[in-house]
Amino acid sequence: MEKDIRTGSIEMTAAMLISGTIGWFVLMSGQPVIDVVLWRCLFGALTLLAICAMLGHFRASILTWRLFGLAVLGGVAIVVNWLLLFGAYSRSSISIATMVYNTQPFMLLAIGGLVFREKITATKLGWLAVAFAGMVAIVQAKPAGGFAGSDYLTGIAMALAAAFFYALAALVAKRLKGTPPHLIALIQVVTGLIMLTPFAATSGLPNEPYQWALLVAMGVIHTGLMYILLYSAIQKLPTHLTGALSFIYPVAALAVDRIAFGHQLQPAQILGSAAILIAAAGMTFGWTWPRLVRHQAG
């Protein structure tokens, strides 16, 4: 058991570090966002196809037509999520887009309450208020150089919308419990290929070898390898540890944005980002206000 937790922690950490670097790959590729997602889907599909074949997932008994339809629906949501998030990077910076994107738990809360009539407690509303205050701080902050005006606000809106579509994909994934995750991922990226092929590559193919290397890496490493590490870790780790290690992703994205592009958050953006992350952690771990007060008092 202890060995599983140690191995799972290493896998989860690696998966989150890989996820945190994808913004650099997107921006450095120099390709239109729709093309980036198309190539990610293509190279990801080839990688996942090989993985699923090796694992013996291509059996009629594994996937019913109903589950296949749900996987396709989740694929549409996850691909739209990628398009919006990648588009937000160049408009509001990797750091801000990633922090705003971490409002995903609250998107799930809202969808669960409105669509599935799930109970929303006062504690959850409290964390939602904290996250909203963080959002207001980020929106009203003076953007760093190169990110200004309507583009900055558009980037924030795109990151919020990306979080919403990720929440939809997560809800669909819950309905696919018991289905091999690599097979779900394969269906999702193939769905993306079908969706985007008519619209992508209108500006031509990448010209430089390094651009192809970045696009291949996003498919093989950020999709194929990352899925393997992530799902393997989830199977080994308790939920609370999975949730804790998932916060490596935004920290890694902040570091990449600072080191690679020199983007430094303004004080109000730092406070807003911290509020969102704390609120997301509170939602993830089920923190309650009395418990926090007792902890601080002790």
Side-chain angles (χ1 to χ4, degrees):
M1 181 67 177
E2 194 172 315
K3 183 181 177 183
D4 276 353
I5 290 178
R6 186 164 54 250
T7 303
S9 296
I10 293 170
E11 291 171 338
M12 187 71 183
T13 299
M16 293 300 98
L17 288 173
I18 290 170
S19 296
T21 64
I22 195 167
W24 182 86
F25 283 76
V26 170
L27 295 180
M28 292 304 295
S29 73
Q31 297 299 294
V33 167
I34 196 167
D35 290 0
V36 171
V37 177
L38 174 73
W39 292 116
R40 181 185 187 182
C41 288
L42 175 61
F43 294 122
L46 293 174
T47 305
L48 290 164
L49 186 68
I51 293 168
C52 288
M54 285 189 295
L55 295 175
H57 288 336
F58 296 124
R59 299 194 306 272
S61 59
I62 288 181
L63 200 66
T64 65
W65 281 108
R66 176 182 171 276
L67 292 179
F68 177 78
L70 284 172
V72 169
L73 184 62
V76 172
I78 206 71
V79 169
V80 173
N81 154 72
W82 288 344
L83 289 169
L84 290 165
L85 182 61
F86 292 176
Y89 288 152
S90 61
R91 292 172 172 84
S92 61
S93 81
I94 294 172
S95 299
I96 292 299
T98 302
M99 293 306 152
V100 174
Y101 185 60
N102 272 274
T103 56
Q104 299 157 7
F106 304 101
M107 299 295 180
L108 280 167
L109 176 67
I111 295 171
L114 293 173
V115 178
F116 301 107
R117 306 296 185 202
E118 293 178 357
K119 184 180 178 182
I120 299 176
T121 64
T123 299
K124 290 179 179 179
L125 286 175
W127 289 125
L128 178 59
V130 172
F132 181 75
M135 276 294 307
V136 171
I138 288 174
V139 169
Q140 292 187 340
K142 182 182 177 183
F147 303 97
S150 60
D151 257 8
Y152 178 70
L153 295 178
T154 300
I156 290 174
M158 291 175 75
L160 271 174
F164 172 77
F165 279 98
Y166 180 87
L168 287 181
L171 286 173
V172 171
K174 284 187 177 182
R175 306 279 179 176
L176 293 168
K177 189 175 181 181
T179 307
H182 305 103
L183 185 58
I184 296 171
L186 175 60
I187 294 170
Q188 289 177 340
V189 291
V190 170
T191 299
L193 269 178
I194 295 169
M195 284 171 59
L196 300 179
T197 297
F199 309 104
T202 55
S203 58
L205 298 175
N207 298 316
E208 302 294 335
Y210 81 88
Q211 292 176 312
W212 283 112
L214 292 171
L215 295 170
V216 170
M218 276 187 276
V220 175
I221 298 174
H222 291 90
T223 306
L225 176 60
M226 199 276 289
Y227 267 110
I228 294 171
L229 291 169
L230 178 63
Y231 289 127
S232 178
I234 288 172
Q235 289 172 355
K236 296 183 179 77
L237 296 176
T239 303
H240 73 276
L241 195 49
T242 301
L245 292 173
S246 69
F247 285 94
I248 292 173
Y249 160 57
V251 173
L254 277 172
V256 167
D257 204 21
R258 184 73 180 94
I259 295 168
F261 301 106
H263 294 155
Q264 189 167 0
L265 296 180
Q266 305 301 310
Q269 293 173 324
I270 293 172
L271 288 173
S273 298
I276 289 173
L277 289 180
I278 290 169
M283 280 282 294
T284 301
F285 303 123
W287 293 344
T288 59
W289 299 102
R291 185 184 303 171
L292 288 177
V293 172
R294 286 197 302 270
H295 179 74
Q296 290 172 353

